[in-house]
């Protein structure tokens, strides 16, 4: 169905009218040359004679003559009613069509470059997958089978039909206004955050949000409380922008605020996941939240609240966001659609304490990538306005609760000899704590060989050692896949 | 058509089973409170009784009783067959529903913050528009009336229909592979760049590309050649990442390479727009290109080639990209779909000298925003594969050429007394050079009052003074709009 695109510019063809050689023969020579040196590849369609004649400002007959000669000699072939194509040249020594050979010469400078950003370890690409499907226990896999694709497609189709009415130029960097309005409404009712759309900034996922905050608010050496264990990308962002990361251990419920106060009283910023501590779990209780807010107000500390999967709470009532309690304007709230819609969307958002502050963040975002893509924002806005978002969340919450229960039962049945496990009130993964310590590298190797992906808690720790534990994602897989995976896990654990 | 979304979480409702007050009366009190303090707004739909009962784990009857009492007292109203809504309370002193009042208290810290990035002047938001249509002579306005919206919508619909087959999780940070393949093919034929998809990195527009390059390649104080006048965002990015910007004047054709060599022989990077110098125009001739490449190879200098609107060349044959001549691997190529499709898409791309180098860039991008959105990438890939991209470019090139001719004739007829103007071989704006110098601020003020937007060349200069000139964008407007705008311009110029 899809065809090689009709060629257009071909800048390598340059005819010289002062030259003694006729134009058709110059054209013939240059096309042949382009085939030899790889600018034209076998199977590619040549422009129609009329198009090329217009492009080169020559008579159509000149192009015709050149094509005929090239067909005669086997460089091109004409397909009836379907244009002219470049032939496969088996018996000709061709220059490489891809950059494989030239690369040898080309890497001269590239090979020697010392990239200055030392925090760019390969680990950052963990989970940077190909198009292959994810393997069981990988976390943050969304269940797309239950995504309302038809509704989404219908909304998208309506927006595309009316695309001419949308402004598709350079738009407000702060984000598509109807989406910011829908978010302000959503946050007010569901996260108890009262804010105006002026305080909301649309970003490309939560990583960008953390980077923006760190870049704008931190001076070199500013101390930052960081949950330990905690979200690695946040740590990397704080460090990159000059922050001195101060590891703060956890209580059973999240950040140990007393520890932070005692050990790092001068901290300028605290990164927290109060709704669902990442990755251990736990929800910061109200009195701890108030203590954190009071400390921040008294000591001019910023709080970066990453509310990444608060929507999936299975037991008890949802907890209002920390931002909802923030009457002094010290909390910067970060939310994302990656976990509740799908990650490939790349839409996150921030709520800043004031509109003027949002304006500063917007200016910075503008210099970085000017704005986020608009059409997807319009789709999400309508998806929210029409109530599909709320319905989808409700559905997924019930589904994920069921999937967690199923995994818990399976783990209880098959691997309770090796790991302790407790249900999680929130989120899309569980943690299995090993009953006996073992060689973790070996365990991970064996798991990978068995076709399951378990991430160790130790990947997230900074200073404070945790017992050995494994992250077990339970969303986005079929029941049979999870059943098989638990049996694989059993074999791996038994073999340690 | 669109309805307020069905409420779901409402975390502000917290029933206490130990309390002596019955559950329905607690619910009644808390909903009333939420209406008073703005967590629930007039016109919002309440959850269905069944839904709320499930959510709160109470009997449906309790919810029913509470709703009835609230309706009786005029806090809620039932609409037949259409749920229950929050009423408008005219006679009640309500807490503010938006953050206007709380902001007063809230800005305490926000007001005092000293944003550390001093390069964030408000000018960066220039062109940061609302949803209002652009005004004549604004540059970089795309002609969406001629955009093949139906084709685009058909491709999009097909992709949305098959969304379940696409992987919508966290994908390869480098970009959607079929798009990178389509780009490698396009660049080979149309820009004479032979590269493999491994060398291509998809980014969120060219600003991100320039930021990534500056961040990875520059050390503090590294000298960077910068065209003067030139692209301001590039200058800001180089400065932000430690580069010492070295203004290099222009010859009639672009960067004055001899000047750069003579004055800044130690430069580590050169930012250039060789296909169409921004904003003055001019195309770097072949011998200058070769000189630049030789110098870069000998002195280990990176060349950042921003090829932002090379597709719109009206006279003569297209010029191969500098990158196409780069056999030593010193050129980093930057392209964008903003000018050839539409800016709101936010898709740009880089071609790195080698796959390993692309990997380093990809790692950095991963830490910044993990990846670019995927669905739009898939749409563009198919748009290219099916040949629509090439067709669209051809069509727009003819259209823009015609629009430039029309503007030239109008300017000749009406304002040739005041400005000198010459056709441009490339691009989507012209420059009108004032014959007599004048108070530019006043001119801009008068133009704005007349409803036209003209940007002065001086906005782009660093050190080297240019004669007074105005950028006149000619794309994206109807013929009558441009006619009127030229007459407005005449009145403005005559009044100076």
């Amino acid at each position: 169905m899809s065809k090689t695109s009709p060629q257009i510019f071909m800048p390598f063809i340059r005819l010289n009218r002062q030259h003694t050689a006729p134009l058709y023969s110059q054209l013939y020579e240059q096309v042949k040359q382009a085939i030899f040196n790889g600018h034209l590849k076998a199977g590619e369609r040549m422009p129609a004679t009329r198009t090329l004649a217009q492009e080169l400002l020559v008579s159509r007959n000149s192009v015709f003559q050149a094509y005929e000669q090239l067909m005669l000699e086997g460089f091109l072939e004409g397909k009836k009613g379907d244009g002219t194509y470049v032939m496969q040249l088996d018996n000709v020594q061709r220059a490489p069509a891809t950059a494989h050979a030239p690369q040898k010469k080309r890497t001269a400078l590239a090979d020697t470059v010392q990239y200055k950003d030392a925090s760019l370890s390969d680990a950052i690409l963990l989970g940077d997958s190909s198009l292959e499907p994810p393997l069981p226990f990988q976390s943050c896999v969304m269940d797309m089978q239950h995504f309302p694709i038809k509704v989404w497609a219908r909304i998208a189709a309506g927006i595309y039909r009316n695309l001419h009415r949308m402004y598709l130029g350079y738009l407000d960097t702060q984000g598509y206004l109807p989406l910011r309005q829908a978010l302000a409404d959503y946050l007010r009712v569901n996260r108890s955050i009262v804010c105006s759309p002026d305080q909301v900034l649309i970003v490309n996922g939560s990583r960008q949000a953390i980077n923006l905050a760190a870049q704008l608010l931190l001076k070199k050496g500013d101390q930052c409380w960081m949950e330990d264990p905690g979200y690695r990308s946040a740590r990397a962002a704080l460090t990159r922008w000059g922050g001195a990361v101060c590891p703060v251990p956890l209580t059973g419920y999240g950040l140990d605020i007393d520890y932070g106060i005692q050990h790092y009283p001068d901290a300028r910023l605290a990164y927290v996941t109060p709704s669902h501590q990442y990755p251990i779990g736990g929800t910061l209780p109200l009195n701890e939240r108030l203590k954190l807010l009071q400390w921040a107000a008294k000591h001019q500390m910023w709080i970066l609240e990453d509310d990444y999967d608060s929507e999936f709470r299975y037991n008890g009532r949802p907890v209002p966001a920390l931002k909802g309690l923030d009457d002094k304007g010290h909390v910067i709230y970060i939310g994302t659609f990656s976990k509740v819609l799908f990650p490939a969307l790349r839409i996150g958002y921030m709520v800043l304490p004031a509109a003027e502050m949002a304006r500063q963040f917007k200016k910075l975002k503008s210099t970085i990538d000017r704005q986020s893509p608009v059409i997807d924002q319009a789709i999400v806005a309508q998806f929210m306005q029409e109530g599909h978002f709320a319905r989808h969340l409700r559905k997924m919450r019930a589904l994920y609760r069921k999937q967690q229960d199923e995994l818990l039962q399976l783990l209880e049945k098959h691997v309770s000899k090796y790991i302790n496990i407790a249900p999680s009130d929130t989120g899309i993964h569980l943690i299995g704590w090993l009953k006996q310590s073992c060689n973790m590298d070996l365990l991970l190797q064996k798991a990978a060989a068995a076709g399951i992906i378990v991430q160790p808690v130790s990947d997230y720790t900074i200073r404070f050692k945790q017992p050995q534990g494994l992250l077990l994602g339970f969303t986005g897989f079929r029941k049979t896949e999870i059943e098989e995976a638990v049996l694989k896990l059993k074999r791996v654990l038994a073999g340690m």
Side-chain angles (χ1 to χ4, degrees), chain A residues 5-131:
Chain A
S5 49
Q7 309 308 342
I8 35 165
F9 293 149
M10 305 205 294
F12 40 80
I13 296 180
R14 308 194 81 79
L15 306 185
N16 182 347
R17 275 153 223 279
Q18 269 74 55
H19 207 284
T20 50
L23 293 173
Y24 87 87
S25 106
Q26 292 184 34
L27 178 59
Y28 154 82
E29 278 295 345
Q30 293 182 16
V31 170
K32 202 168 75 173
Q33 204 49 47
I35 294 173
F36 273 121
N37 65 22
H39 282 118
L40 288 170
K41 281 207 286 197
E44 266 175 335
R45 186 154 77 150
M46 294 295 290
T49 50
R50 180 200 304 271
T51 312
L52 191 56
Q54 281 170 355
E55 177 68 37
L56 300 173
L57 301 175
V58 299
S59 74
R60 197 170 165 191
N61 197 42
S62 297
V63 179
F64 210 78
Q65 270 183 288
Y67 275 24
E68 244 188 6
Q69 185 63 29
L70 288 159
M71 285 197 264
L72 257 174
E73 296 184 11
F75 288 98
L76 301 180
E77 69 177 326
K79 292 185 185 168
K80 237 180 186 164
D82 190 33
T84 309
Y85 288 80
V86 177
M87 289 271 281
Q88 183 70 51
L89 303 185
D90 290 328
N91 48 351
V92 182
Q93 187 62 40
R94 293 176 55 205
T98 65
H100 289 310
Q103 269 187 31
K104 247 189 204 150
K105 273 192 291 171
R106 286 178 175 219
T107 48
L109 183 52
D111 276 351
T112 61
V113 62
Q114 291 288 319
Y115 298 99
K116 72 171 177 192
D117 200 327
S119 68
L120 296 182
S121 80
D122 277 8
I124 207 76
L125 293 179
L126 199 96
D128 181 56
S129 73
S130 59
L131 293 168

Side-chain angles (χ1 to χ4, degrees), chain A residues 272-293:
Chain A
V272 282
T273 53
S275 299
H276 179 220
Q277 201 282 329
Y278 186 78
I280 299 297
T283 302
L284 210 59
L286 187 62
N287 54 348
E288 292 292 297
R289 285 168 191 245
L290 294 174
K291 194 194 291 174
L292 180 59
L293 287 169

Side-chain angles (χ1 to χ4, degrees), chain A residues 171-184 187 197-206 208-209 212 335 337 345-352 358 361-362 365-366 369-374 376-378 380-381 384:
Chain A
L171 203 91
D172 192 336
T173 303
Q174 196 158 351
Y176 188 62
L177 183 60
L179 177 60
R180 288 189 280 128
Q181 275 160 345
L183 274 169
L187 292 170
D198 283 352
Q199 292 168 261
V200 179
L201 175 70
I202 305 295
V203 293
N204 300 341
S206 56
Q208 185 172 61
L212 289 175
F337 290 108
L345 197 57
R346 308 309 307 136
I347 302 183
Y349 48 94
M350 314 180 73
V351 180
L352 284 310
F361 275 71
K362 157 180 158 173
K365 167 151 172 84
S366 169
D369 59 10
R370 189 145 195 168
Q371 69 187 49
S372 289
V374 177
D376 285 343
Q377 292 186 56
V380 175
M384 295 182 87

Side-chain angles (χ1 to χ4, degrees), chain A residues 225 256-266 291-292 295:
Chain A
W225 292 0
D256 185 340
I257 292 159
D258 291 330
Y259 184 97
I261 291 176
Q262 213 179 323
H263 290 78
Y264 309 108
D266 300 325
K291 194 194 291 174
L292 180 59
W295 176 264

